[in-house]
Amino acid sequence: MAYLLDGFVITPLYYVVLALVGFDVNSVGVGRLPDRNLYVLATVLGLAVQGSFFVWFWSGGRRATPGQRVFGIQVANAFDGQPLTIGQAFGRWAAMGSWIAIPFVLPFMAAAIVSAVAVGVWNLLLLLSTIVSPTKQGLHDRFARSALVRPAGAGNRWAVGCLTVLIILAALYVALLVIVFSQIPWDRMPPNPYLDEYLRWMWPS
């Protein structure tokens, strides 16, 4: 949940960077696809913005992102509780695997498929490694020699409440998708030229 809340902070920063490189999000639409090289550049810059955000807030004594502060949790050195160094913070972010999605924007559909599967598998491994760890250190924390902690006396009502809401919304969303897609006469659907155009633009090889 803290990670999702941080997304609301990162997104405006991302749009600022896009504006600086001349990528107008509002101009993208059906039949109006942007320059592909500019799209790839925007994607890489977005990843750089995300990485810089987490490294900044995890290091230098700040210990936590804005989203983590909402839930009263901090990131610290696993051995002595000291703030993370920039190297540790970068290692923790890198081990979370956001960069694994980069091949998705390469002009090869096979690379995109492998990238999508790899992202899903890695996120599952991070979750499982955190659950089974006695100290709740996932692979990313073990790699960076860090630990996620909650100061004494901090409660978790916010986390439990937000997680409950998220699960309910996700269930409603899935149910809505099932209902909508079950009503579509797929066998009588005409070819979609815009989808074909997008696929050729996204993965020309």
Side-chain angles (χ1 to χ4, degrees), residues 96-166:
M96 291 180 70
S98 296
W99 57 271
I100 300 177
I102 289 181
F104 192 85
V105 300
L106 295 178
F108 309 100
M109 182 173 289
I113 294 174
V114 171
S115 175
V117 172
V119 168
V121 171
W122 185 247
N123 284 328
L124 182 60
L125 286 175
L126 290 180
L127 177 62
L128 293 177
S129 64
T130 303
I131 292 174
V132 301
S133 169
T135 56
K136 302 306 177 188
Q137 289 175 284
L139 294 175
H140 54 308
D141 277 319
R142 298 178 206 174
F143 176 77
R145 305 182 307 281
S146 60
L148 195 66
V149 297
R150 178 182 288 116
N156 62 352
R157 289 181 298 174
W158 274 96
V160 173
C162 289
L163 184 59
T164 302
V165 171
L166 179 64

Side-chain angles (χ1 to χ4, degrees), residues 173-197:
Y173 179 72
V174 171
L176 179 62
L177 286 180
V178 171
I179 294 173
V180 170
F181 279 93
S182 65
Q183 302 301 316
I184 297 177
W186 296 103
D187 56 332
R188 299 194 299 275
M189 289 289 289
N192 189 330
Y194 300 113
L195 178 59
D196 293 339
E197 179 188 7

Side-chain angles (χ1 to χ4, degrees), residues 37-125:
N37 292 330
L38 191 58
Y39 166 75
V40 174
L41 174 62
T43 302
V44 174
L45 288 177
L47 189 65
V49 168
Q50 185 203 73
S52 300
F53 175 88
F54 285 106
V55 171
W56 168 263
F57 280 107
W58 285 340
S59 64
R62 284 166 289 272
R63 294 177 179 266
T65 64
Q68 289 172 329
R69 291 183 186 279
V70 171
F71 299 107
I73 53 180
Q74 300 177 358
V75 181
N77 188 297
F79 299 106
D80 56 16
Q82 293 297 310
L84 298 186
T85 64
I86 292 179
Q88 278 182 292
F90 178 80
R92 188 176 196 270
W93 172 79
M96 291 180 70
S98 296
W99 57 271
I100 300 177
I102 289 181
F104 192 85
V105 300
L106 295 178
F108 309 100
M109 182 173 289
I113 294 174
V114 171
S115 175
V117 172
V119 168
V121 171
W122 185 247
N123 284 328
L124 182 60
L125 286 175

